[in-house]
Amino acid sequence: MMALIDLRSDTVTHPTDEMRRAMAAAEVGDDVFGEDPTINALQERAAGLMGQEAGLLTASGTMSNLIAALAWCSRGDEMIMGQEAHMFWNESAGPTALAGAQIRLVPNDVNGRISAQDVAAAVRDSSNIHVPATTLVCLENTHNRCSGGVMTPQDTREVVDVAHAAGAAVHLDGARIFNAAVALEVPASELTKDVDDVSFCLSKALSCPVGSVLCGSEEFIGKARKWRKMVGGGMRQAGVLAAAGLVALDSMVERLADDHANARRLAAGLANIDGLTVDEDGIQTNIVIFEVDREKVGDAREVIAALREDGVLVSHSRDQALRMVTHRHITAGDVDEALSRVNGTVRRMA
Ligand SMILES: Cc1ncc(COP(=O)(O)O)c(CN[C@H](C(=O)O)[C@H](C)O)c1O
């Protein structure tokens, strides 16, 4: 039985042995009372890395993003985000359904950035009784549906300045913020200190089993903690999870460069397969989105099924586009083997 090569997402990563040891040994307490010492240590460490005052452990990136919408938006407000945002495509309309905020989409560029000009043009004049107030602008760095593209500190500051001038807060969906920091060779805080709050995922490329950390001002985190409780996110002895997060922040950030090198290797190989199209120069981090020629190869979802038969797991991005994501379980050798299998699959289908 050939070993599966799982390139669906970096969410498939398993905790390291060091994480498991730390989880078993973690000091714990009741976090609803704020008494779990390991969670408190993680939240403090995370806030420092983000250049923010405080942090809050959440169950997922989706929960973090929802809590940010609940904390910043009132019912009937409007929040701006990119048309390819994860918060728009993959979070079950939570910000609208539960925060009661209308979503206003602006264009993402090829790297997933939204421009200060487009945000300025989208901000509403709520002095008009017909018009909702724009109270939140959401950024995403790196960008999932835009091939892991990164925003620089300058890109971020330009949008923050426009949002603040309009009286709106800025939430950064930083699920993969450490991938951006490593790709840009800057401290993560350079990408996060100017926004009003930021969430990053422990459970993706950092390889923890669960969790994200939402960071912001003391005042914001105080509100966020109550919203988290309301959505059922209050936790008890979750220091066993936070312990993995502390190990991740110590040992799993620098190695992200390996994932980025493997993503570039993957893209270079895919570019050489007739019937597939990929923007090799656009690969900045660990996500590779590529197009499948419908006439030459077939329907994208049929290709996913055929690749699974040949031992390669990939995810669907949009239309004829598929997505591969590198992570700690994927070596350069796995990339080469996956490319060989993909080539065989594509030739079999053509
Ligand atoms: C930018 C961004 N923000 C938020 C989330 C949500 O994180 P979780 O709720 O899965 O922890 C994700 C997860 N992304 C997952 C993936 O990439 O496989 C799926 C698509 O939901 C994300 O990519």
Side-chain angles (χ1 to χ4, degrees):
M1 172 80 168
M2 78 172 102
L4 286 177
I5 301 175
D6 195 346
L7 290 160
R8 291 172 295 176
S9 177
D10 46 13
T11 59
V12 303
T13 49
H14 290 191
T16 65
D17 291 345
E18 187 185 357
M19 288 177 188
R20 291 173 188 269
R21 286 192 296 272
M23 292 168 77
E27 273 191 84
V28 295
D30 189 326
D31 186 51
V32 170
F33 298 120
E35 294 175 2
D36 187 298
T38 310
I39 292 177
N40 292 339
L42 173 64
Q43 290 172 163
E44 186 176 345
R45 179 86 190 282
L49 289 171
M50 297 291 110
Q52 297 283 347
E53 291 178 352
L56 183 71
L57 178 65
T58 66
S60 66
T62 300
M63 181 180 278
S64 281
N65 290 337
L66 173 60
I67 288 170
L70 290 164
W72 292 116
C73 297
S74 300
R75 288 180 63 189
D77 286 353
E78 189 165 79
M79 54 196 307
I80 294 170
M81 64 183 73
Q83 67 195 28
E84 298 297 340
H86 189 276
M87 286 179 76
F88 179 70
W89 283 91
N90 298 98
E91 299 186 11
S92 314
T96 299
L98 303 181
Q102 179 169 281
I103 290 179
R104 178 80 174 277
L105 299 176
V106 295
N108 285 107
D109 72 7
V110 68
N111 292 321
R113 296 173 297 192
I114 61 176
S115 75
Q117 292 74 13
D118 286 336
V119 170
V123 168
R124 303 281 219 144
D125 169 13
S126 60
S127 64
N128 178 334
I129 193 172
H130 300 85
V131 176
T134 302
T135 48
L136 187 61
V137 176
C138 300
L139 300 176
E140 186 174 319
N141 195 16
T142 68
H143 202 289
N144 185 336
R145 287 170 60 93
C146 294
S147 251
V150 303
M151 289 184 78
T152 65
Q154 180 63 26
D155 297 330
T156 307
R157 268 194 300 275
E158 286 173 3
V159 176
V160 168
D161 290 346
V162 165
H164 286 176
V170 179
H171 165 67
L172 172 56
D173 175 355
R176 298 181 178 87
I177 195 64
F178 289 105
N179 292 84
V182 166
L184 292 168
E185 296 182 334
V186 299
S189 59
E190 284 302 303
L191 301 170
T192 61
K193 62 185 171 53
D194 297 323
V195 301
D196 296 288
D197 81 272
V198 49
S199 170
F200 67 85
C201 290
L202 298 167
S203 58
K204 293 184 174 59
L206 296 186
S207 213
C208 292
V210 174
S212 288
V213 187
L214 181 64
C215 298
S217 68
E218 292 283 2
E219 181 188 6
F220 169 80
I221 293 298
K223 291 177 183 173
R225 179 179 288 274
K226 185 138 191 191
W227 284 113
R228 183 189 69 172
K229 192 77 176 76
M230 184 191 290
V231 299
M235 293 178 273
R236 303 297 176 179
Q237 292 69 28
V240 292
L241 299 175
L246 287 167
V247 170
L249 293 175
D250 282 337
S251 65
M252 300 300 286
V253 173
E254 284 182 29
R255 65 153 306 285
L256 297 176
D258 298 342
D259 296 345
H260 301 171
N262 282 333
R264 288 191 293 272
R265 188 186 189 98
L266 196 52
L270 292 171
N272 286 329
I273 298 176
D274 186 28
L276 306 183
T277 307
V278 60
D279 172 12
E280 276 186 77
D281 298 334
I283 306 303
Q284 296 178 298
T285 56
N286 69 326
I287 296 177
V288 180
I289 292 177
F290 59 99
E291 293 284 332
V292 176
D293 185 303
R294 184 185 292 276
E295 280 61 54
K296 279 188 179 176
V297 184
D299 178 85
R301 293 188 186 278
E302 290 170 5
V303 174
I304 292 173
L307 285 173
R308 174 179 280 269
E309 285 172 22
D310 292 336
V312 181
L313 304 184
V314 304
S315 46
H316 186 247
S317 180
R318 69 172 77 81
D319 305 329
Q320 282 293 108
L322 301 183
R323 184 189 73 162
M324 292 181 174
V325 184
T326 55
H327 49 80
R328 80 173 186 94
H329 301 301
I330 300 295
T331 65
D334 293 325
V335 167
D336 294 344
E337 173 60 20
L339 287 167
S340 169
R341 294 180 190 178
V342 171
N343 192 43
T345 306
V346 168
R347 288 173 57 182
R348 177 159 59 83
M349 293 183 73

